Every structure is written in structure tokens, then in C-alpha cells.
Amino acid sequence: MFKGSMVAIVTPFKNNQVDFTCLEKLIEMHAEAGTDALVPVGTTGESPTLTNAEHKKVIEFVVKKSAGRLPVIAGAGSNSTQEAVELTEFASSVGADATLQVCPYYNKPTQEGLYKHFEAIAENVDLPVVLYNIPGRTGGSGLSPETIAKLSELKNVVAVKEATGSMDQASKIKSLCDITILSGDDSLTLPLCSVGGEGVISVAANIVPKDVKRFMDFVQEGDFASARKWHFKLFELSKSMLGLATNPIPVKAAMAMLGMIEDEIRLPMTHLEQESCGKLKQALSDYGLL
């Protein structure tokens, strides 16, 4: 469940409501593509803009429609420990296989506060926990390698999604413990796997799931020569797309251009600017998608 190509799946909207018909089509696409796991209502799934009721409904829907074919690692984090526990309990009750737990944002806890936050979640709900370390999204509040190593001693804490962009961070984690490390940046997946990473929670897989899966299969087989070729192909798409604006603005714009979803995103996120749309179309064309 915690290896290979996992998709940080978008939450499609239509008329400012969650488009569950479209979401089901996306789930079927990933089942056919061989994606290793679905990760709904994370950053790419616009969890900050969903109501609590919508958040739960998306988790329940994805679990139901994946129908045991794809593991579901449900985004259930919060800057409130009590709310994170409650969301995790809900995810467990509807059959999610694991949860993704972001570092608390805005309130900027200490390393001790971070440890106790994740400890409370792990001890209150018997569900595997994937830590989500992305200080760029959490006001600089991130997990140190030492805190991750300490958390890995808890039986429910099984993996960390590393989105710090630091290979030193990943290397230090691996030197301290054997927790599974997952890439949180498509462009850094191969470098991270070279120092012990075992998978990616991918944004690009929303558009090219078969290619990300093929890439990760080569990585897992230890065929880094073949993996490197896919890395450079996917690198150009990922950097061209995700460098245009804050995620998930560009990936949702790309999916709309490809007819995969409606061109809708919720405030405070806004549509991709016209100039950037031209660059995105060129990137998709260069990849062979348009």
C-alpha cells in the first residue's frame, strides 16, 4: 500500500459542488492504469476549501467506488488535534486503509507539540498513519528527522510523505529509522528514491497515471537506467505545469484542457492566468497530450 505510484487525486467541481460523477470516472481511470493507491482530500484535493461534510463525503465516496481494488489513504489532517482525530475516526469507520496527516498549520507547534499531535492520532485510531511533511504549506512548521524517527516507533506510524525538497532531510531520516519515505514532489521522486524512498504521492499522475506507474515500476525493480529516462520525460511536464502557479491550480487547468474535469476551482484559489494557460498548453502539447 505504501509503495509505488499513488495519486494525490483532485476534487472535481461542477457548479461549485463536488462533481461525484466525474470523481468516479477518475477513480476508474486510476484502477485501469494500475495506480497503487488513491490519496483523496489532500493539498491537491483542495481539502482547505471543502466543508467538513464535503470532506467526509469525498472520503466515503472514494472508498466505496474503489471497491477494494485500490487502497485509499485519506487526507484527515487538521491544525486541531481533536478535529484530526475525529476525521481519522470517520475515515476508519467508512473503510479507508490509512490516513495522510499533515503537520498542523498556522499555530506553528514545537517539535514536542508535533510529536504529541501525531501520537494522539495514532493512539486514538487504529489506522496506519502517513505523516505529511510540507513546511512550505504549514507556515514553516515541519518535522525534523529526529521527530520522524521518534514517531516511527509508534506502531501506527508507517510512512512519511516528504515534501521538504531536501535530500539531506530524506537521507537523515533513513539514517535514523526504517520508516517508509514517499516523495511529495514529482520532480524529486527519482533522487529521493535513490536514497531510500519507496514511492510517490503524485500530482502528475492525475494526468498521466500510466506513465507515473511505469516510471515507479522501473524504480521498484531497481532499473534506474530506464527510470531515469521516464524521470526526464515526466520532469519537463511536472516542472512546466506545477511551476506556473500554486498547486492544484495548474493541474486542474490541465485536466480541464484535456476534457477530464470541469474548469472549476474554489476560492481563494483562482483560475490560471491567460499567459500561463498558453505555456501550459505548450507543455501538454510537447508531452503529446494535445
Side-chain angles (χ1 to χ4, degrees):
M1 190 195 326
F2 307 108
K3 295 182 179 181
S5 175
M6 292 153 272
V7 62
I9 194 167
V10 301
T11 302
F13 297 122
K14 187 173 184 178
N15 300 322
N16 202 37
Q17 301 297 314
V18 177
D19 188 346
F20 287 102
T21 300
C22 181
L23 182 56
E24 183 172 6
K25 290 179 181 178
L26 297 179
I27 293 167
E28 291 303 316
M29 176 187 73
H30 286 290
E32 181 183 343
T35 297
D36 291 301
L38 302 175
V39 188
V41 283
T43 302
T44 309
E46 288 177 87
S47 58
T49 72
L50 299 181
T51 66
N52 190 263
E54 287 174 327
H55 193 131
K56 290 179 177 179
K57 193 171 182 180
V58 170
I59 291 174
E60 186 171 16
F61 184 87
V62 173
V63 170
K64 180 180 178 181
K65 295 301 178 179
S66 65
R69 295 170 296 165
L70 293 166
V72 177
I73 305 170
S78 172
N79 61 338
S80 160
T81 303
Q82 183 175 338
E83 183 177 8
V85 169
E86 193 269 333
L87 273 173
T88 305
E89 288 174 337
F90 176 82
S92 179
S93 73
V94 297
D97 299 282
T99 63
L100 181 70
Q101 296 288 342
V102 71
C103 289
Y105 39 88
Y106 186 75
N107 39 19
K108 299 181 73 171
T110 63
Q111 290 298 306
E112 180 64 13
L114 289 169
Y115 177 83
K116 289 187 176 297
H117 171 81
F118 292 116
E119 180 187 43
I121 296 165
E123 290 186 346
N124 276 280
V125 188
D126 189 21
L127 201 64
V129 170
V130 178
L131 307 170
Y132 185 10
N133 200 23
I134 183 165
R137 293 270 188 171
T138 56
S141 177
L143 289 160
S144 70
E146 291 77 14
T147 302
I148 291 171
K150 186 178 178 183
L151 284 165
S152 73
E153 296 172 4
L154 303 173
K155 70 180 183 71
N156 288 5
V157 177
V158 298
V160 57
K161 178 183 177 183
E162 261 298 312
T164 60
S166 170
M167 293 304 105
D168 283 354
Q169 167 91 359
S171 296
K172 185 64 175 177
I173 293 168
K174 267 301 178 186
S175 74
L176 294 173
C177 64
D178 63 356
I179 193 170
T180 296
I181 301 178
L182 306 173
S183 173
D185 297 290
D186 279 281
S187 62
L188 293 176
T189 298
L190 186 60
L192 187 139
C193 287
S194 74
V195 296
E198 298 183 56
V200 60
I201 297 181
S202 171
V203 177
N206 280 286
I207 298 174
V208 286
K210 291 181 180 179
D211 290 358
V212 177
K213 170 63 175 173
R214 190 173 294 117
F215 164 52
M216 288 310 305
D217 283 349
F218 281 126
V219 172
Q220 290 186 287
E221 292 164 7
D223 184 353
F224 278 79
S226 298
R228 193 178 302 115
K229 294 177 183 177
W230 278 102
H231 162 75
F232 286 117
K233 182 176 176 66
L234 290 162
F235 176 84
E236 290 301 327
L237 177 66
S238 298
K239 294 302 286 187
S240 297
M241 179 173 63
L242 295 176
L244 293 172
T246 307
N247 181 47
I249 292 172
V251 69
K252 293 195 86 174
M255 294 175 77
M257 289 176 186
L258 296 170
M260 301 172 72
I261 63 173
E262 296 288 332
D263 187 15
E264 286 196 30
I265 197 160
R266 277 189 179 170
L267 288 171
M269 310 305 280
T270 55
H271 286 93
L272 192 63
E273 295 179 358
Q274 197 60 41
E275 181 182 348
S276 294
C277 283
K279 293 178 180 178
L280 179 56
K281 285 181 180 178
Q282 186 61 54
L284 295 175
S285 178
D286 290 344
Y287 196 89
L289 295 170
L290 282 178

